[in-house]
Amino acid sequence: TLEVIRVGQRPEDMAYERAAMKRAQAVGVQVRQTLLPADARPEELVAALERVNRDDSVHGCLLFRPLPEQLSAPGLTETLCPEKDVDAITVGSMGGLLARLEMGYPPCTPTACLELLRFYHIPMEGQKVAVVGKSMTVGLPTALLMMNEEATVSVCHILSQPEDTRKLCQQADIVISAAGCAGLIKADYVRPGQVVVDVGVNVGKDGVMRGDAAFEEVEPIVKAITPVPGGVGAITSTVLMAHVVEAAMRQNGLKEQ
Ligand code: NAD
């Protein structure tokens, strides 16, 4: 069983939640939902996480981020016990990633990017990878995972010079964009032979979901590009289910810690 905790009504969170529930149903994972208001107090979030910790019938917890300002204090999410931290919200799980130790679970979206590249036999070792975005949830752990694969990694962010971001993307063999900025990766950011992994999920005022890449202009140039929707997001929810199943097995003594 997976417990989903959502704070507020962000369309991106709700889209991920729908995809996760569909995937859970397909593989036989039960889902429980806790919905907190956007103005929830820190005590409410802590109480929800403590309920998950205490409940032996819940094996993993997905908490959507970014959290609103009043819930962003460091330490709040540490309430979740590491065995149920299936999407690396705790310092312990992130530390495991840094130290290359099997502690907790690696974050689902960065893991999904790697799984995708592995599935299509796209080499990472010694390849130039440009990661756009350096958030704790996507960009930074993706860069770390890529370094663990022996890639040569550049990381760009909102304060990088736009021209540097463009050049680093164009020089890369693999571009992974997790900026949350629709249309950022344009035709002049890419070149033939490249692979573009588009993590961005941007829901416009028109309700349409778009990635970070201007798909129509980038797709004809590059070797391969992931669509949005139906790309990284779909694999992310599958990785999440794999983590929940593994957590259930570990918690029931069916797999070593
Ligand atoms: P975030 O807002 O926490 O971080 C965005 C990062 O991108 C920051 O480091 C920022 O410096 C950088 N950035 C923003 N605009 C930029 C620009 N113009 N140029 C260069 N860098 C820029 O967001 P996040 O939680 O890391 O998520 C990133 C995107 O990925 C969002 O669109 C989010 O919805 C999406 N997402 C997708 C999945 C999935 O499974 N597909 C999962 C999580 C997040």
Side-chain angles (χ1 to χ4, degrees), residues 64-77:
F64 292 109
R65 291 161 294 163
L67 289 164
E69 189 69 36
Q70 79 278 8
L71 303 179
S72 301
L76 274 190
T77 47

Side-chain angles (χ1 to χ4, degrees), residues 133-211:
K134 64 171 182 74
S135 75
M136 286 289 284
T137 39
V138 192
L140 178 66
T142 302
L144 281 172
L145 286 172
M146 285 293 155
M147 279 189 259
N148 290 352
E149 296 296 319
E150 313 300 345
T152 306
V153 182
S154 314
V155 179
C156 316
H157 50 83
I158 188 78
L159 296 181
S160 302
Q161 300 299 325
E163 184 53 16
D164 291 341
T165 304
R166 191 189 69 76
K167 276 194 205 141
L168 285 167
C169 286
Q170 206 176 43
Q171 286 161 5
D173 302 299
I174 302 170
V175 175
I176 304 180
S177 188
C181 186
L184 174 68
I185 309 296
K186 298 185 223 16
D188 60 344
Y189 278 56
V190 296
R191 60 176 170 78
Q194 277 182 320
V195 172
V196 178
V197 179
D198 192 348
V199 183
V201 174
N202 309 292
V203 182
K205 287 203 177 83
D206 53 6
V208 176
M209 188 191 288
R210 295 179 179 88

Side-chain angles (χ1 to χ4, degrees), residues 51-127:
R51 264 198 311 277
V52 169
N53 289 348
R54 279 195 307 270
D55 190 340
D56 288 343
S57 66
V58 174
H59 306 101
C61 176
L62 174 68
L63 170 68
F64 292 109
R65 291 161 294 163
L67 289 164
E69 189 69 36
Q70 79 278 8
L71 303 179
S72 301
L76 274 190
T77 47
E78 293 307 300
T79 308
L80 182 65
C81 63
E83 308 87 74
K84 300 191 179 185
D85 184 18
V86 288
D87 193 26
I89 66 168
T90 64
V91 171
S93 293
M94 288 298 284
L97 185 61
L98 251 182
R100 301 176 78 161
L101 292 172
E102 291 254 328
M103 275 163 59
Y105 295 85
C108 296
T109 301
T111 306
C113 294
L114 257 79
E115 290 289 341
L116 174 96
L117 294 169
R118 283 196 193 110
F119 181 84
Y120 287 105
H121 305 293
I122 293 161
M124 291 171 260
E125 189 182 306
Q127 299 296 293

